[in-house]
Amino acid sequence: MAAILSAQKGLHAEESAEVEVLSANLEKLKGLTKRIQGSVIRLQNTGDNAQDSVGPAFGNTQRIQTSISNVDRLLDAIERMRAPLDNTTREERIIKQGPKKTGLNDYIASIDRMNRALGDLKRSNLKSNHKAVSELSLLLKMGNTQLEDIFRSVLREDNRPVEPLHYITKQEPFPAIPREKISTLRTVNSHCATTVSQTSQYEVKETPTSRAYAETRGDYISTSLQNLSAASMSTARKTNADALYRQGACAIGTYAQGIEGMYVAEYDNICNIFAREDWSPVLTATCQASLNEFSRTLRDLNAHVQAHLITDCYLGFEIVDVVSTLYLNLESRTGELKRPISDALKPVRDTAKLAFPRLLDDVRSRIQSMSSLPPDGGPVPIVAETMTRLQTMTSYMEPITSLMRSLGDGGWSTASSTTSTNPTTTSTSSLKSFDVGADGRQLFQHYATDTLETLLGGLDSRARAFHRTRALQGVFLANAVAIVDRAIRQSDLARELGSSSSSPPGPGTAPPPAPPPLPKLATWRRQAEKMYTDAWQDAAKHLLDVQHTTKTVGRPASGGPVTSGSAASAATADSAAIVKALNSKERDAIKEKFRAFNAAFDELVQRHRTYRMEGEVRAALGRAVEAVLGALYARFWDRYHEIDKGKGKYVKWDKGQMNQVLGSLAG
């Protein structure tokens, strides 16, 4: 037990010693920790002091590095900006040598480099570069001038004038600039346009190359067309001043074909050389000189038409047709030039519109100035001349229908001759009456009808003044109507005036039915026939008698089939019975009727044979006379031919003889 207790005390003593050692170590550790913490605090304070000292220096270092980077980039930019200036000497040498020595491709490449350099200098916007910009701009302008000379020289190689008539007659396309030269011209034009935009301070609407093209090719076109211009004027003048203009006699149609062909060929050249936005202005500028010459030619032709309006108005119609077709074709193929050509045509259109009232006035004045008429009732030349005018108009229906729409229905009547001295009034009235939807052909029908009414009405008035007998007046008027009707039926007037022309029938075929005449023409024909048959009506009055219905003796047999012999014997028996039933006074009256009729009829037949009649007029009037006298004489003869018992003293013709005489009147 005691041993155990002593052992435990020994153990406790050892553990206490160890605890004391551990406590001493712990105290040392705490002291060390405090010293470390103090060191850390001092180190932290030192670090804070170091950071406060190093921070500004580090920021300055970063700013210095940024500045150095900026300076490096600035130096690079300066080097790049100086590079063009350094190369100016080399480019100037190339420019001054010219494209012929250096070669066109190298020359254009130098121009491109200078354009890029000039662009860089302008973008830098540095005052120090202003002088360099000016020098480089001058150098570019010099180079551009030489490129322009190259452009002109290439154009002149194919600028020899051509003869348009050769290509028109052979229907060949007009020559164009060769493709290999087109490529050169296109390249030069593109670089010249770029240079001009770089060196100019203002917006440029026309480049030197476009101006050079317009001048060079414009002169080529004008020179090529000048012979056609001169030919148009020389062919417009007729040998016989009083003859009507013959369609196609003037070379204006060929002139227009030449213009169209050359303009279309030039438009193709322009499309292959210039940019799309330049096509219209370059084409207009190129064609301007030749258009001016064309306008001058139209003015001269218009003056010629005005001086000879009655005979040469058809030239005006032809010009309107040709030039209208020209500007419509050019508009469809190029989209340009309609307006200037239309403006050049306007005076000719106004003159052509004035022709319609002037032609009517001419018909009136010529009829009024007639101092005499043919004594045999023959036609006067104005009838055929007026119809020839209308027939000639049918060859120009396209321009005439357009002009008619401008005049409006009846515009040819309201436009008096005084409007020729006041074109403003004419234009104003035309604008008021203009109707786009009007039927031009129908308006021409109205105009032709008015012309015929003016002609026939005037002739009827002169016939009443100069011819004493209505028969002669009727023959004169019928001849005029026949000539008018024949002229209509045998020409395109039949179609234009609403009646169809009939062609001659072939052998063994029946003739086609005659086309219906114009209603107003039929009225004039009936009037003429009435005037002529009035005298025959007077003779027919002698064949009228008074019958007493209460008397049944001698009534002519009627009804039932009879033979010719029995009919003749029956007529003789009836006539004898009728004559026998008459008293002496009535017989004398019948004898006097026969005697008066014979005298009047002989005189009328003799006059009929002296009248000058158109073939259709003689036939028509002969049939009209037969209609007046044939049946009436036959009836009178049937009743009273036994008045002289066949001696022929009073009854000069039997029915057969009378029919022969009446039939001969139509032959």
Side-chain angles (χ1 to χ4, degrees):
M1 185 72 179
I4 294 171
L5 289 174
S6 63
Q8 288 179 345
K9 287 180 180 180
L11 289 172
H12 284 300
E14 289 179 4
E15 289 177 357
S16 296
E18 290 178 0
V19 169
E20 289 177 0
V21 172
L22 288 174
S23 296
N25 289 336
L26 181 59
E27 289 297 331
K28 290 179 182 179
L29 181 60
K30 287 181 180 179
L32 183 59
T33 300
K34 289 179 181 180
R35 287 195 298 273
I36 291 174
Q37 287 178 345
S39 298
V40 169
I41 291 171
R42 288 192 300 274
L43 181 60
Q44 185 175 0
N45 292 334
T46 303
D48 291 338
N49 293 333
Q51 184 175 3
D52 292 339
S53 301
V54 173
F58 180 75
N60 292 336
T61 301
Q62 286 183 327
R63 285 193 295 273
I64 290 172
Q65 289 177 344
T66 302
S67 299
I68 292 173
S69 177
N70 291 338
V71 169
D72 290 340
R73 285 196 296 270
L74 180 60
L75 291 175
D76 291 340
I78 292 173
E79 289 299 324
R80 287 195 302 271
M81 287 187 292
R82 290 181 59 85
L85 300 178
D86 295 338
N87 294 330
T88 300
T89 304
R90 181 170 63 90
E91 306 297 353
E92 183 178 3
R93 186 180 66 256
I94 294 174
I95 294 301
K96 289 185 176 180
Q97 285 180 348
K100 293 183 179 180
K101 290 185 178 180
T102 60
L104 183 59
N105 292 334
D106 292 340
Y107 191 83
I108 290 177
S110 176
I111 293 287
D112 288 342
R113 289 192 296 270
M114 286 193 296
N115 274 323
R116 289 193 296 270
L118 182 60
D120 292 338
L121 290 174
K122 286 183 175 181
R123 284 191 295 272
S124 69
N125 200 23
L126 296 176
K127 289 185 178 181
S128 59
N129 289 337
H130 286 178
K131 183 178 179 181
V133 168
S134 299
E135 293 176 353
L136 201 55
S137 296
L138 290 175
L139 196 59
L140 277 172
K141 288 180 180 179
M142 181 189 302
N144 212 40
T145 301
Q146 297 193 45
L147 280 181
E148 182 183 341
D149 293 339
I150 289 293
F151 191 87
R152 287 180 182 273
S153 65
V154 174
L155 283 177
R156 290 194 184 101
E157 292 175 2
D158 296 280
N159 211 45
R160 186 170 59 255
V162 298
E163 180 52 58
L165 197 60
H166 168 79
Y167 299 95
I168 294 172
T169 53
K170 293 189 175 182
Q171 297 183 347
E172 296 178 356
F174 280 78
I177 299 175
R179 290 188 175 276
E180 61 275 9
K181 294 181 181 179
I182 286 284
S183 177
T184 301
L185 293 171
R186 181 171 55 246
T187 302
V188 172
N189 170 71
S190 174
H191 287 82
C192 282
T194 303
T195 302
V196 169
S197 65
Q198 283 279 16
T199 57
S200 178
Q201 297 179 354
Y202 307 99
E203 182 180 359
V204 179
K205 296 183 179 180
E206 183 183 30
T207 62
T209 48
S210 64
R211 185 167 53 250
Y213 187 94
E215 293 172 357
T216 306
R217 298 298 290 181
D219 181 67
Y220 155 75
I221 295 174
S222 298
T223 307
S224 298
L225 293 174
Q226 63 183 2
N227 288 338
L228 291 181
S229 175
S232 298
M233 287 305 305
S234 62
T235 53
R237 302 183 182 94
K238 306 184 299 295
T239 305
N240 183 4
D242 295 330
L244 295 183
Y245 172 76
R246 183 171 50 85
Q247 186 176 21
C250 179
I252 186 65
T254 306
Y255 191 10
Q257 286 181 310
I259 289 177
E260 180 180 348
M262 297 202 76
Y263 284 8
V264 170
E266 211 57 46
Y267 181 72
D268 293 339
N269 292 335
I270 291 171
C271 292
N272 291 326
I273 295 173
F274 295 92
R276 177 66 182 86
E277 62 272 11
D278 294 332
W279 293 354
S280 175
V282 174
L283 178 64
T284 302
T286 303
C287 301
Q288 191 60 54
S290 56
L291 277 178
N292 291 340
E293 178 64 21
F294 184 59
S295 299
R296 186 192 65 78
T297 302
L298 290 183
R299 288 195 299 271
D300 293 343
L301 288 174
N302 185 51
H304 173 79
V305 172
Q306 287 178 334
H308 309 84
L309 189 58
I310 300 301
T311 58
D312 286 358
C313 61
Y314 310 100
L315 172 58
F317 301 151
E318 182 172 311
I319 293 173
V320 171
D321 186 25
V322 166
V323 179
S324 298
T325 303
L326 169 63
Y327 68 65
L328 290 176
N329 289 346
L330 286 177
E331 184 186 32
S332 65
R333 301 183 69 175
T334 69
E336 303 296 333
L337 304 177
K338 177 181 179 180
R339 182 62 180 273
I341 298 177
S342 177
D343 290 343
L345 178 62
K346 189 178 183 300
V348 183
R349 281 186 62 89
D350 292 341
T351 300
K353 287 190 292 186
L354 185 62
F356 298 108
R358 286 287 299 276
L359 289 173
L360 277 175
D361 290 342
D362 181 68
V363 172
R364 293 190 191 97
S365 61
R366 289 183 61 188
I367 292 176
Q368 290 298 322
S369 63
M370 290 180 180
S371 58
S372 63
L373 294 179
D376 56 359
V380 287
I382 191 174
V383 181
E385 292 172 5
T386 302
M387 295 312 299
T388 301
R389 292 176 182 176
L390 291 177
Q391 288 174 332
T392 306
M393 285 185 182
T394 60
S395 301
Y396 304 92
M397 287 311 298
E398 286 299 324
I400 284 179
T401 53
S402 173
L403 296 170
M404 285 292 177
R405 284 192 291 269
S406 298
L407 279 174
D409 198 359
W412 49 85
S413 299
T414 57
S416 63
S417 58
T418 57
T419 57
S420 61
T421 60
N422 190 359
T424 304
T425 304
T426 304
S427 301
T428 304
S429 61
S430 298
L431 287 174
K432 291 180 179 179
S433 60
F434 184 75
D435 182 5
V436 177
D439 186 347
R441 292 183 180 273
Q442 186 178 29
L443 295 179
F444 175 74
Q445 291 179 10
H446 297 172
Y447 173 76
T449 301
D450 287 353
T451 301
L452 298 182
E453 286 296 302
T454 301
L455 173 67
L456 296 177
L459 292 178
D460 180 44
S461 175
R462 303 312 287 171
R464 294 175 189 273
F466 289 110
H467 290 318
R468 291 178 297 176
T469 64
R470 285 180 58 79
L472 192 54
Q473 296 170 12
V475 170
F476 177 76
L477 186 58
N479 280 331
V481 172
I483 293 173
V484 170
D485 184 64
R486 186 192 314 137
I488 292 174
R489 295 173 185 271
Q490 294 179 355
S491 68
D492 290 338
L493 280 172
R495 181 185 67 251
E496 301 300 338
L497 299 184
S499 59
S500 58
S501 173
S502 57
S503 57
T509 60
L518 292 173
K520 292 187 177 181
L521 205 59
T523 301
W524 283 109
R525 184 182 292 106
R526 288 193 297 270
Q527 179 179 334
E529 289 182 359
K530 184 179 184 306
M531 294 170 68
Y532 181 75
T533 56
D534 279 350
W536 298 86
Q537 291 283 3
D538 293 339
K541 292 178 181 179
H542 299 301
L543 301 178
L544 300 177
D545 60 345
V546 179
Q547 296 186 32
H548 301 282
T549 57
T550 57
K551 294 183 179 181
T552 58
V553 180
R555 179 180 177 87
S558 63
V562 293
T563 62
S564 60
S566 63
S569 60
T572 301
D574 289 343
S575 177
I578 292 171
V579 172
K580 185 177 180 181
L582 299 175
N583 57 39
S584 60
K585 185 177 180 180
E586 291 174 334
R587 290 180 182 178
D588 290 342
I590 295 300
K591 292 177 182 178
E592 182 59 29
K593 284 180 178 290
F594 269 113
R595 188 183 301 109
F597 172 79
N598 292 340
F601 185 75
D602 281 338
E603 182 181 1
L604 290 172
V605 170
Q606 183 179 2
R607 288 182 181 177
H608 181 89
R609 299 188 190 284
T610 60
Y611 294 147
R612 180 183 174 186
M613 302 182 189
E614 299 293 319
E616 54 267 49
V617 173
R618 188 173 296 277
L621 295 183
R623 290 192 298 269
V625 170
E626 186 175 4
V628 171
L629 294 180
L632 193 60
Y633 185 84
R635 171 197 166 279
F636 198 78
W637 185 89
D638 283 341
R639 289 180 61 82
Y640 304 114
H641 67 272
E642 286 296 323
I643 194 72
D644 63 354
K645 302 185 183 301
K647 296 178 181 179
K649 182 177 181 181
Y650 302 107
V651 183
K652 192 173 182 179
W653 301 278
D654 60 20
K655 289 192 295 183
Q657 292 171 333
M658 176 56 69
N659 289 335
Q660 289 180 355
V661 174
L662 293 177
S664 67
L665 297 180

